[in-house]
Amino acid sequence: MKQASEHFRFWEYIAFIAVMFATLVLCVSVGSVSVPFENTLTIIKNTIFGLPIPGDISSPAIISASRLPRVICVALVGASLSLCGGAMQGLLKNPLADGSTLGVSSGVALGAIIAIAFNITIPSLPFAGTIVTAILFAFFSLFIILSLAYKLDYSLSTNTIILIGIIYSMFVNSVMSIVITFASDKLKHITFWTMGSLSGSSYQNALLLFTTLIICSAIILSHGRELNAFAVGEENAMHIGVNVKRVKLVILITVSVLIGVCVSIGGTIGFVGLVTPHIVRMLVGPNHRRLLPASLFGGATFLMLADLVARTLLKPLELPIGVVTSFIGAILFIFIFYKTRSARG
Amino acid sequence: MKYQSRIAVLLVLMLTLSLLFGCTQATPPASPSEPASPSEPAETEQPADTSITVTDMTGKEITLDEPATRVVALTASDCEILFAIGAGDTLVGRGEYCDYPAEVLEVPAVQSGANTNLEQVIDLEPQVLLMSTMAQTEEQVAALEAAGIKVVVSDADDIAGVYENVKLIGKLMNKDAEAEAVIENMKSTFDDISAKATGDGTKTVYFEVSPLQYGLWTAGSNTFMNEICEMLGLKNAFADVDGWGEISEEQVLERNPDYIVTITMYFGEGPTPEEEIIARTGWEGVTAVQNNAILNLQNNELSRPAPRLADGAQLMFDFVYGENAQ
């Protein structure tokens, strides 16, 4: 076995980006309605350069207004969730860490449901109320989980956080049921929201996701070295001069912002953040300075492919994307788990 | 010693209670083994005594000693039918989602589906409980029947089924004439609009059940919307989908419907469902959007197997062929 490099090497960046773009092209050209590949290219090229679309291409909006923004949003959500998963797994030294095990996803969902049930809106910006409330709840959830964890255990040990995260999720789920019982007239709204959908994603969604991802990934990726130290052990990290508490706080807050935005746009999509880092770890090794960028591109690729299956398997019907990710993800996860265990033993 | 005696008292209490429960279960409700006339019980009426025998839509036979005067209806459409045949005053309990007509809301709700509060239902002492196959679990039916409540199950998946259910409920309430009138009324509306409808099945309608934000859901074939669509000489854009389903946005753009009927609720904030559809990027090219041919039916006229299907059909007729139609 060759010695893995400390950094994510240039050619590796090129390779991962190439695979991601190839997937993007595949996902934009294949869909529920079949559009010839040349037409797809022309539509995209002409939309980008603002040229008029030739009249012989029927309904260009299928590509430019529906499929392209959706695929882009899916890629960005996949990248964000996987990056979060990778960072959480390193930080908490726990292979099961993910936005959902931390309780942030549930918190976000509760925020969105409360916004829907009690009609929290921002005048003139419909639906923004849901997103803002959801992000606030992500912070709020994190604040509760962390302060409880601090009370129990000043060093914020990983077990405490995971335990409190799971208890918090359960508590939040029961609160959600109570809210839903009281707001039964909005049940349809709420049910659809919790099922999550990236269909109807717009370029505005993509821009919001992209901006958040750029800022948050810059913060997370710059902490790769500290995460490596955490992976060996918190005490070890402290001994080699890592400001353990500060790094933890920074990463946790960044992760919750990223998850807050993703969940409020696409709903809760399970297993992406959990599985992708495990898959790419097999490819690039456990070093976070390599693992995190690889998770970013790998997550985008994985979720785009899952979305492709969701869109085309039963066309004209669509499957909820979470069903596909959980189905593929659970099987992959067991496979990887067994493989790494038997390799070790 | 004191502690032990308390336990003893508790045990005795529990035993007595279990005996009580045992008793209620041991007495079977009106024995189903002696039906009045096994051949065609739904058709036969026995004017000699006041007893009523009907066969519900799952084929189960139900005999009432006299017309029902206390009814719990778990399904919204059954509530609507009760009120339509003038038997609304017999309703003593309703399912959570029964909301039409407005008087229904004054009746205590007993929740719905798997959460149906059986104790509350039994406490209301109805003779009859109306539910649909969708809301039914066998355990619930068994528990209610053990408590002496007749459970009548409806299963209407087309307009003919609605007629059957109206007739069934009419019979239970001894309001056959009223039920016939309701059915006649529906039939005449349907006949009227299908006679006047000039469509030749080329124009397409896309039914939107949930808006883009939550993923598009539509009503395909084997739905009331599809049936009414055909009645109006129109074609359901998603007739290849069976029942209700989530569909891709690009499919709607590709099929380019001439009309859009959305049943999205409007809560009085942000754009109305029509405005929201018009504002969607990429939908500018859809014929229905270009012609502003979008109808919002938000009171479940087209989604419930109830007499108001006729109202929904009339609204759709006016929308497509009426004076202000595009």
Side-chain angles (χ1 to χ4, degrees):
Chain A
M1 213 169 161
K2 69 181 162 56
Q3 185 62 43
S5 147
E6 161 83 353
H7 292 275
F8 205 49
R9 273 170 298 194
F10 184 67
W11 68 265
E12 284 174 315
Y13 266 108
I14 299 289
F16 270 85
I17 291 174
V19 170
M20 188 183 75
F21 267 98
T23 316
L24 188 104
V25 171
L26 173 78
C27 291
V28 173
S29 40
V30 179
S32 187
V33 173
S34 45
V35 178
F37 187 62
E38 313 87 76
N39 289 1
T40 309
L41 279 187
T42 320
I43 292 166
I44 293 176
K45 198 179 70 202
N46 291 12
T47 313
I48 291 172
F49 296 111
L51 299 170
I53 285 150
D56 57 325
I57 298 177
S58 65
S59 35
I62 289 179
I63 303 292
S64 61
S66 173
R67 206 182 287 167
L68 186 60
R70 173 172 174 161
V71 173
I72 293 175
C73 281
V74 166
L76 290 167
V77 168
S80 307
L81 293 178
S82 304
L83 181 67
C84 291
M88 299 308 304
Q89 285 167 17
L91 185 71
L92 304 180
K93 237 179 90 185
N94 189 320
L96 282 174
D98 180 24
S100 45
T101 35
L102 196 75
V104 180
S105 299
S106 311
V108 173
L110 177 65
I113 285 174
I114 285 178
I116 297 172
F118 300 109
N119 280 329
I120 299 171
T121 45
I122 296 169
S124 80
L125 270 177
F127 309 128
T130 318
I131 296 181
V132 172
T133 322
I135 295 172
L136 284 178
F137 265 75
F139 274 117
F140 179 68
S141 309
L142 192 84
F143 179 75
I144 291 187
I145 296 162
L146 286 184
S147 27
L148 282 175
Y150 262 122
K151 271 262 153 59
L152 275 177
D153 175 353
Y154 190 68
S155 71
L156 278 186
S157 96
T158 58
N159 289 344
T160 319
I161 293 188
I162 293 265
L163 197 67
I164 289 176
I166 288 176
I167 293 172
Y168 181 78
S169 302
M170 289 174 175
F171 174 71
V172 162
N173 284 336
S174 71
V175 175
M176 271 192 248
S177 304
I178 294 171
V179 172
I180 291 172
T181 311
F182 280 114
S184 56
D185 54 324
K186 302 285 178 61
L187 183 80
K188 218 165 93 175
H189 245 75
I190 293 173
T191 317
F192 281 123
W193 190 88
T194 48
M195 280 172 10
S197 177
L198 280 159
S199 78
S201 302
S202 62
Y203 289 111
Q204 285 94 309
N205 292 147
L207 191 67
L208 174 61
L209 281 168
F210 184 70
T211 320
T212 324
L213 180 60
I214 289 293
I215 297 168
C216 295
S217 63
I219 297 172
I220 294 176
L221 291 178
S222 66
H223 285 83
R225 199 187 286 269
E226 284 90 339
L227 284 172
N228 281 343
F230 271 101
V232 180
E234 272 173 50
E235 261 184 38
N236 172 68
M238 206 162 71
H239 290 318
I240 61 170
V242 174
N243 187 340
V244 172
K245 255 167 56 189
R246 198 191 64 87
V247 172
K248 261 187 181 173
L249 268 178
V250 168
I251 300 248
L252 289 177
I253 289 172
T254 319
V255 160
S256 65
V257 172
L258 208 45
I259 293 177
V261 174
C262 286
V263 173
S264 51
I265 288 177
T268 38
I269 303 174
F271 265 103
V272 191
L274 191 57
V275 169
T276 323
H278 287 281
I279 302 174
V280 295
R281 201 172 283 128
M282 291 173 82
L283 293 172
V284 301
N287 185 330
H288 285 89
R289 298 174 68 182
R290 298 162 49 74
L291 178 71
L292 292 177
S295 296
L296 200 67
F297 299 118
T301 312
F302 176 65
L303 202 61
M304 277 193 286
L305 290 175
D307 183 56
L308 183 66
V309 173
R311 284 185 291 137
T312 53
L313 192 66
L314 296 175
K315 65 187 172 180
L317 297 176
E318 281 198 10
L319 279 170
I321 187 170
V323 172
V324 181
T325 54
S326 302
F327 188 83
I328 304 175
I331 295 172
L332 270 176
F333 190 72
I334 290 173
F335 170 73
I336 294 165
F337 211 58
Y338 268 82
K339 214 175 159 195
T340 46
R341 276 293 151 94
S342 53
R344 240 178 261 164
Chain B
M1 232 4 236
K2 204 174 172 189
Y3 190 64
Q4 276 177 346
S5 68
R6 254 189 218 166
I7 289 177
V9 170
L10 254 177
L11 278 173
V12 169
L13 251 173
M14 277 165 71
L15 271 172
T16 340
L17 274 175
S18 67
L19 270 175
L20 269 175
F21 281 118
C23 283
T24 41
Q25 274 173 356
T27 16
S31 58
S33 55
E34 35 182 288
S37 56
S39 54
E40 278 279 273
E43 305 301 322
T44 41
E45 220 176 324
Q46 293 153 314
D49 56 81
T50 51
S51 81
I52 295 172
T53 304
V54 295
T55 308
D56 79 358
M57 294 173 80
T58 58
K60 188 177 59 176
E61 201 164 273
I62 293 129
T63 306
L64 288 182
D65 295 335
E66 52 190 14
T69 51
R70 293 181 68 82
V71 178
V72 170
L74 296 184
T75 317
S77 55
D78 290 337
C79 284
E80 295 194 17
I81 292 172
L82 277 176
F83 276 87
I85 62 171
D89 53 335
T90 58
L91 191 71
V92 292
R94 64 177 172 98
E96 197 176 352
Y97 305 112
C98 306
D99 56 3
Y100 187 91
E103 298 102 285
V104 172
L105 296 173
E106 291 158 18
V107 174
V110 295
Q111 297 182 294
S112 287
N115 295 325
T116 306
N117 190 336
L118 295 184
E119 293 186 13
Q120 198 185 344
V121 172
I122 294 167
D123 188 49
L124 288 168
E125 296 180 336
Q127 294 119 349
V128 172
L129 178 120
L130 302 172
M131 55 158 61
S132 73
T133 41
M134 236 206 293
Q136 168 203 32
T137 69
E138 279 174 24
E139 291 81 4
Q140 287 176 342
V141 175
L144 289 167
E145 291 192 331
I149 298 168
K150 308 285 161 98
V151 178
V152 179
V153 181
S154 64
D155 182 20
D157 46 20
D158 53 10
I159 291 172
V162 177
Y163 295 155
E164 196 187 332
N165 194 25
V166 173
K167 205 181 267 179
L168 176 72
I169 295 177
K171 183 159 253 184
L172 285 170
M173 312 309 296
N174 198 19
K175 296 226 181 237
D176 299 80
E178 289 86 344
E180 273 317 314
V182 167
I183 294 170
E184 279 315 311
N185 211 346
M186 287 178 76
K187 278 186 178 156
S188 76
T189 308
F190 290 138
D191 290 345
D192 185 45
I193 59 173
S194 50
K196 281 196 240 156
T198 48
D200 54 0
T202 50
K203 297 250 180 174
T204 53
V205 188
Y206 156 59
F207 290 101
E208 185 166 292
V209 177
S210 89
L212 190 56
Q213 193 198 359
Y214 306 116
L216 298 172
W217 279 73
T218 198
S221 52
N222 296 321
T223 58
F224 297 104
M225 296 181 196
N226 194 63
E227 217 174 340
I228 285 165
C229 179
E230 282 168 4
M231 200 180 280
L232 291 170
L234 304 168
K235 186 169 172 273
N236 186 347
F238 285 92
D240 56 333
V241 173
D242 185 39
W244 309 70
E246 184 174 6
I247 42 145
S248 302
E249 181 187 14
E250 48 192 73
Q251 289 283 351
V252 182
L253 300 180
E254 166 77 7
R255 293 172 189 216
N256 193 12
D258 297 297
Y259 302 100
I260 297 177
V261 175
T262 165
I263 63 167
T264 304
M265 300 249 211
Y266 181 57
F267 296 110
E269 70 178 72
T272 61
E274 295 99 314
E275 286 166 1
E276 189 267 321
I277 290 175
I278 292 171
R280 288 177 192 165
T281 20
W283 288 53
E284 312 83 15
V286 175
T287 313
V289 173
Q290 282 174 347
N291 297 337
N292 202 8
I294 303 171
L295 175 68
N296 183 210
L297 293 176
Q298 37 175 316
N299 300 314
N300 296 307
E301 291 94 338
L302 287 181
S303 46
R304 282 183 188 168
R308 281 194 303 141
L309 279 173
D311 302 358
Q314 185 67 53
L315 286 167
M316 258 190 83
F317 177 84
D318 295 343
F319 162 66
V320 175
Y321 301 107
E323 278 173 23
N324 302 320
Q326 279 78 27

